[in-house]
Amino acid sequence: MLNKIMKLGGKKFNKSDQDNTSGVNTVVRSSRPTTAAATPSSTGESQSAAPSPSQTPNHPMFTAPPSLEVLPLLKDVSSSDRPLLFMKKAHMCSCQCDFSDSLIMPREKEIKRQTLLELVDFLHSSSGKVNETMQSELIRMVSANMFRCLPPAHYENTGAPPEGNDPEEEEPYLEPWWPHLQLVYELLLRYVVSSEIEPKTAKKFINHTFVSRLLDLFDSEDPREREYLKTVLHRIYGKFIFHRPFIRCSIYNIFYKYLYETERCVGIGELLEIIGSVINGFTVPMREEHVLYLVKAILPLHKSKGISIFHQQLSYCVVQFVEKDYKLADTVIRGLLKYWPLTNCNKEVLFLGELEEVLDVTEPSEFQHCVVPLFRQIGKCLNSANFQVAERALFLWNNEHIVGLIAENKDVIFPIIFEALERNMKGHWNQAVHGLSENVRRMFMEMDTELFEECEKQHAENEAKASELLEQREMTWKRLEEAASLAAN
């Protein structure tokens, strides 16, 4: 039967095609330094090397350049011949097809697609045990297809600065060979989640080097690929416990590089989604290293110019930290105030929305620690000339939990906010802001009439003093003008 398998086959690549694909296993993107060096040595995890050629059978089919040909179906051969046929099919799929023109190699493309589909079904159905040698050839094929040189980003082509590139306004780049690449990703995903694959065996192939190269692919401009990468990496994190510290450290290193080197936000949102799920598994009390990464890697992402692309995921991570450990509320709120935007109104609206989510899970004991700087900033937002900022700040009083926190600290908050509300009532140009300010002012009065009257009295005294100082300043300028006029005469 085996001889029959070796003799069967259709049209193969010509020699030039084979020459072009023979070096596919060595293609690695070098634009990002490997994150393996950042792994803490204390983890004690072994850095197993990638599968070597000696791990595959010393058979002519594995030593010659792969070629695409029609082979029997796995289900049509005996169980004894199935492993070798599986490896031949995997080795054959290491060939790269030219997708620059749909008329080039149409038959070979379809052969590869059908073969990949069959391999996916084989892993999914668990119709046969995948031994270590078969896994080696499978991961070798996956690496040959996935790990490649990515096309340059838009700003790398045009010379425009990375912060000037708005991904929301551009058509996403779509990988031309996605019909094959999607099946390769699906094959890897089936391999990782398969109950037939033991982690002790799979870690020889899904090692730190493999994970680092997966993380490099988050630079891909194709959102479909990043979505698959997110799913695969999350599954690896869940199944391979010994990889968890390395994966966390590597993701944080990508955040550092984004913040201090590239400012290219491709893939940051997907990585934050992974971190958000990881935070759910943290134990309480929070380990010091997790708090350190919150302060050094997560919160600094708020200063990014491209935060609108990944703010939803970032906000989720921040709220998860506070929900896990309520004592982190003060750290998070002060971090938001530290990176609060000064001139970007759209970003300020995002910050106010995130602040409301954080305050919604903040305990009263932690709220007291940051109430003064927090409401000084909110007071500035109330008086913003941008009506969206002022309106979003006033919406905080629609949250019952936040109103409860304010009521418990009204002696401190009323004097800070009262002046800002009075300014809106007297001079803000937007009628909606004027109406909302009046509602908040009425709420204050109903909470504590005596304190409200005291704040009103204090505000009137401050206004009188300010008016007096203004009159004195005008009189001084008038005397100076008269003196200058007399001196000129």
Side-chain angles (χ1 to χ4, degrees), residues 230-293:
K230 179 188 69 176
T231 304
V232 170
L233 190 63
H234 189 262
R235 295 291 188 176
I236 291 175
Y237 187 91
K239 185 169 185 175
F240 300 90
I241 299 176
F242 37 82
H243 281 335
R244 291 179 180 180
F246 175 78
I247 292 174
R248 289 197 304 268
C249 187
S250 299
I251 292 176
Y252 291 135
N253 284 344
I254 293 175
F255 293 162
Y256 295 146
K257 184 173 182 180
Y258 164 68
L259 286 169
Y260 304 112
E261 294 182 27
T262 64
E263 295 186 357
R264 184 185 181 193
C265 61
V266 177
I268 296 296
E270 286 81 5
L271 291 172
L272 283 170
E273 287 187 45
I274 296 173
I275 292 297
S277 299
V278 168
I279 296 170
N280 285 325
F282 288 167
T283 57
V284 179
M286 196 82 70
R287 287 165 54 184
E288 184 179 354
E289 70 165 292
H290 301 325
V291 178
L292 182 64
Y293 282 132

Side-chain angles (χ1 to χ4, degrees), residues 63-76:
T63 57
S67 57
L68 291 169
E69 56 187 86
V70 177
L71 296 174
L73 297 178
L74 289 168
K75 65 180 181 179
D76 294 340

Side-chain angles (χ1 to χ4, degrees), residues 364-409:
S365 58
E366 295 300 313
F367 181 76
Q368 294 175 356
H369 296 160
C370 57
V371 64
V372 174
L374 172 61
F375 277 87
R376 283 177 179 168
Q377 183 61 57
I378 292 176
K380 294 178 182 178
C381 294
L382 292 176
N383 293 142
S384 174
N386 186 290
F387 81 95
Q388 291 178 321
V389 175
E391 194 175 56
R392 190 64 187 83
L394 288 163
F395 282 159
L396 293 174
W397 275 265
N398 291 339
N399 188 301
E400 293 183 5
H401 181 73
I402 296 176
V403 171
L405 295 174
I406 292 173
E408 293 180 10
N409 299 271

